[in-house]
Amino acid sequence: MSPRFPKTFDRPAKALSPQEASEEGLWLAAEIALHDERYHGQDAPIITDAEYDKLRRRLKSLGDAHPAALADEVGVAVGAKPKVGFEKVAHDYPMLSLDNAFDDEDVREFERRIQRFLQISDPITFCCEPKIDGLSISLRFRNGKLICAATRGDGHTGEDVTRNIQNVSGLPLQIDHQGGMEVRGEIYMAKGDFAALNLQQVAENKPTFANPRNAAAGSLRQLDEQLAQSRALSFFAYGVAGPQGDDVSQFDQLQDLARLGFAINPDTARLTGADALIAWYQKRGLSRAELPHDIDGVVYKVDDGALRQRLGFVARSPRWAIAHKFPAETATTILTNIIIQVGRTGALTPVAELVPVNVGGVMVSRATLHNEEEIQRKDFRVGDHVVVQRAGDVIPQLVSVVSEKRQPDALPYHFPKTCPCPLASKIVAEFDEKTGKKDAVQRCSGGLACPHQKRERLIHLVSREAFDIEGLGPKQIDLFMERGLIDQPADIFTLRLREERGEFAPLMTWDGFGRQSAENLYGAIESRRTISFTRFLVGLGIRHLGTTNARLLARIFPSMKSLIDAHHLGNLKQVLMEVDGVGGAMAGSVWGFLEDPRTRSMMEDLAAQLHIEAELPKPIMGGKLENKIMVFTGTLANMSRGEAKARAEQAGAKVSGSVSAKTDYVVAGADPGSKAKKAADLGVALLSEEEFMRLLD
Ligand SMILES: [Zn+2]
């Protein structure tokens, strides 16, 4: 705790004079504000929760004993509850991320891919905008009034930051528009405002921000509204979400937004063909340093609304847009050590430890080395001067060795033969099914027994995309594991019960916990006892089963029982393989997970603690092909197979890769092959491309 405590701190509150109470109250309020900022703003608390609670309790008792003396100066802070976070907001339309292009060829391929998908050969017209290095935000308006501003979050659920954006340049809170409307854009901090903020931070003896993006993020997610509103943030609108944004030209849409009072990037262009895009990009790359704000690339979006609708989305990003990134930033530093990290599925990743170095505004002290092959190929040795590179949000990586500077005694690196965990399990490399070669990734063979994997699995389970238990992160998992209180996932949900039975000292008495934080943690765990089947599946940490695949799986098997039943019947793998989008790798790992009695019982123990909500497929309202199972075969004349599939799914159909008695329609193009024959044998309706189009219209 801070050494400069006021002398009055240890005296009973009532024994202080009003003057003393007022002085100590001011000190306490400032101290609490500082720790709030450290805790929430920077996620780097410097005192324990117990110490923090003590400050708050003291301020409250001063306020109670001397209401008049403290009211003016401390005001709101007296007795105010510590804020624990923002309300969660589910997005009406997912906030997807964009695919990236890193070179000219990627941009050309992007256009070709669109042409193939749409089956057209004319060059495509795009709306081009600089890519602001800020944070995406969703703004919901109703009858012209801003009702909710939400961060992107995981793309499906964000945080409500409405109160923090009341004072953002270029972002009107009131617009001339009837009905509902969702505007999307980027919140950022201009370079000049960033410099001024850091000067002020220095003057106030507060830590500075590494770059404008961090400063904008810290301000937006600042729990102190007044502080957040005092930060100079700016906004550029980049689109309208949902059906309203569908039909219009992207370029025209931006002009409409400008007319409503939103700031739009003045440097926006409508260009046709990949070559024009690349020339435009190169000019921006040369002049980016002169701009008043940071940009990390440019974005191309198909301008025509009808084409955008036809193109639709792949799992994580729209097919009609791409971000063309500027080249990565690099720096030179010294490689001090190579350590091995064990992932939750046992994959071993060599990680470079570096003398910390500033790479494009971010301090980097670690970088990935990918795998053994990479280290051998580039011959990285401990002690080498190395080039480290960082691009966007990607993990920094080591590019090359500065060989002139190598020390004569530097030794080649040898990859270990055993896992760094105490069990020292053997390391194995699997065979890649596709290439038939040995996989570059090496794995610990310890499975569930390996403590490193165990830890990573637990951390994954509580992470945002899985159970999302607030306040239970790597630090706390380590603490509970060290004390032997959490070993398996199910243990998380029996913690409180075991505390109540007196099996361990109450959490609130632990170093680093207070009454409030212990209560918050148990509350967060309790709130996740009811969980969606998708999140449950993601939490299991099965290889190849991230959120997208888990959703897919939960659509086929809406509950754990149905999944286990299919496994008992012995046809799980086969059923999975027939689903479009499920590969052999995922089918195999799900099957393997259920087949192994250890992982199986881990899953069942966890499920026994939970109430798992079956996943109800989101009905596509009025979808013309709702719940129909369709198969496509042969070559279509007017659209690609990919587009046909996407349009069928948009209309509510499930698209399968093979024909069975459950299939409703088989759409056959030219040279249909065996699927059409099988459909005829099974009596499944066979449609021509024209008939399929009529079904949709
Ligand atoms: Zn291991």
Side-chain angles (χ1 to χ4, degrees), residues 32-46 49 52 56 81-86 159 164 209 214 217-225 227 231 470 516-517 520:
I32 288 168
L34 169 76
H35 295 307
D36 279 345
E37 162 71 16
R38 295 284 307 185
Y39 184 82
H40 298 294
Q42 303 157 30
D43 207 19
I46 47 174
D49 285 358
Y52 177 84
R56 282 214 162 267
K81 262 195 182 163
K83 297 185 183 182
V84 288
F86 295 94
E159 289 179 325
N164 285 357
F209 293 95
N214 281 11
S219 306
L220 196 61
R221 299 194 67 251
Q222 170 60 248
L223 281 159
D224 178 345
E225 286 157 30
L227 184 58
R231 297 270 172 85
E470 217 158 305
Q516 187 69 47
S517 56
N520 287 349

Side-chain angles (χ1 to χ4, degrees), residues 342-343 346 348 418-427 443-447 449-454:
V342 188
L348 304 177
T418 56
C419 178
C421 74
L423 298 178
S425 317
K426 237 183 101 191
I427 288 175
R443 286 172 197 283
C444 160
S445 59
C450 169
H452 288 220
Q453 291 188 45
K454 206 180 265 179

Side-chain angles (χ1 to χ4, degrees), residues 14-84:
K14 279 193 182 130
L16 267 56
S17 72
Q19 174 66 20
E20 286 170 328
S22 165
E23 277 168 17
E24 192 190 319
L26 276 177
W27 179 87
L28 283 167
E31 195 73 7
I32 288 168
L34 169 76
H35 295 307
D36 279 345
E37 162 71 16
R38 295 284 307 185
Y39 184 82
H40 298 294
Q42 303 157 30
D43 207 19
I46 47 174
I47 59 171
T48 66
D49 285 358
E51 287 164 340
Y52 177 84
D53 286 348
K54 196 170 162 193
L55 293 178
R56 282 214 162 267
R57 276 198 305 275
R58 173 68 176 176
L59 183 58
K60 180 157 188 335
S61 56
L62 280 185
D64 290 345
H66 304 274
L70 264 79
D72 290 344
E73 294 106 337
V74 191
V76 198
V78 179
K81 262 195 182 163
K83 297 185 183 182
V84 288

Side-chain angles (χ1 to χ4, degrees), residues 344-645:
R344 89 189 126 83
T345 58
L348 304 177
T349 312
V351 174
E353 292 192 327
L354 308 167
V355 171
V357 61
N358 189 319
V359 189
V362 172
M363 289 306 283
V364 172
S365 57
R366 282 181 164 206
T368 179
L369 285 162
H370 301 291
N371 52 48
E372 180 181 14
E373 221 179 273
E374 170 94 355
I375 301 177
Q376 307 287 327
R377 197 160 53 82
K378 297 186 174 169
D379 191 22
F380 290 117
R381 301 181 184 190
V382 171
D384 276 348
H385 287 251
V386 290
V387 177
V388 57
Q389 146 178 324
R390 204 191 117 251
D393 293 334
V394 186
I395 305 167
Q397 47 191 155
L398 283 202
V399 185
S400 58
V401 174
V402 185
S403 39
E404 314 83 85
K405 290 199 179 171
R406 170 164 289 167
Q407 299 300 310
D409 57 349
L411 297 172
Y413 178 74
H414 292 291
F415 207 82
K417 299 279 175 243
T418 56
C419 178
C421 74
L423 298 178
S425 317
K426 237 183 101 191
I427 288 175
V428 291
E430 287 169 12
F431 278 89
D432 190 320
E433 286 173 33
K434 281 183 200 143
T435 60
K437 284 191 204 142
K438 218 165 98 170
D439 201 340
V441 176
Q442 314 225 45
R443 286 172 197 283
C444 160
S445 59
L448 282 187
C450 169
H452 288 220
Q453 291 188 45
K454 206 180 265 179
R455 171 178 184 269
E456 294 303 319
R457 276 175 186 273
L458 287 166
I459 289 171
H460 171 77
L461 183 96
V462 300
S463 69
R464 198 165 69 173
E465 73 262 39
F467 276 63
D468 192 16
I469 301 180
E470 217 158 305
L472 191 55
K475 227 176 80 188
Q476 291 80 13
I477 291 283
D478 285 342
L479 202 58
F480 286 117
M481 283 186 84
E482 273 164 30
R483 300 199 181 199
L485 294 174
I486 293 182
D487 183 61
Q488 294 298 319
D491 299 338
I492 293 170
F493 291 92
T494 60
L495 265 182
R496 177 173 240 167
L497 186 70
R498 285 181 285 145
E499 182 190 300
E500 282 164 6
R501 284 188 191 145
E503 291 180 25
F504 60 91
L507 189 55
M508 58 174 283
T509 64
W510 292 22
D511 208 20
F513 283 91
R515 177 187 291 277
Q516 187 69 47
S517 56
E519 218 24 71
N520 287 349
L521 178 57
Y522 282 138
I525 293 173
E526 217 43 50
S527 74
R528 290 307 186 179
R529 206 178 277 282
T530 299
I531 194 100
S532 76
F533 188 47
T534 301
R535 281 185 182 273
F536 175 76
L537 285 172
V538 174
L540 296 176
I542 302 173
R543 257 175 97 190
H544 308 296
L545 201 69
T547 303
T548 306
N549 281 343
R551 279 213 187 94
L552 207 59
L553 188 61
R555 265 204 332 229
I556 312 159
F557 302 107
S559 67
M560 193 170 93
K561 186 178 176 304
S562 59
L563 184 64
I564 290 177
D565 285 349
H567 181 248
H568 279 314
L569 286 173
N571 63 351
L572 175 66
K573 233 175 172 173
Q574 198 192 339
V575 172
L576 284 176
M577 298 280 283
E578 279 173 14
V579 179
D580 213 50
V582 175
M586 173 183 154
S589 60
V590 171
W591 179 81
F593 187 90
L594 292 170
E595 192 69 8
D596 184 335
R598 290 167 304 178
T599 41
R600 173 74 175 269
S601 70
M602 181 269 269
M603 173 179 87
E604 285 169 344
D605 290 348
L606 176 61
Q609 296 297 328
L610 305 172
H611 172 67
I612 302 173
E613 288 178 324
E615 209 72 43
L616 295 174
K618 220 180 185 178
I620 296 177
M621 300 310 282
K624 295 192 172 90
L625 296 172
E626 205 168 330
N627 293 325
K628 298 288 185 212
I629 298 176
M630 307 198 58
V631 174
F632 290 89
T633 178
T635 312
L636 303 177
N638 296 311
M639 64 183 102
S640 65
R641 189 94 74 82
E643 180 178 359
K645 194 189 133 198

Side-chain angles (χ1 to χ4, degrees), residues 291-307:
L291 290 173
H293 46 256
D294 279 344
I295 62 174
D296 58 353
V298 299
V299 176
Y300 314 126
K301 294 176 181 165
V302 171
D303 191 51
D304 184 300
L307 292 187

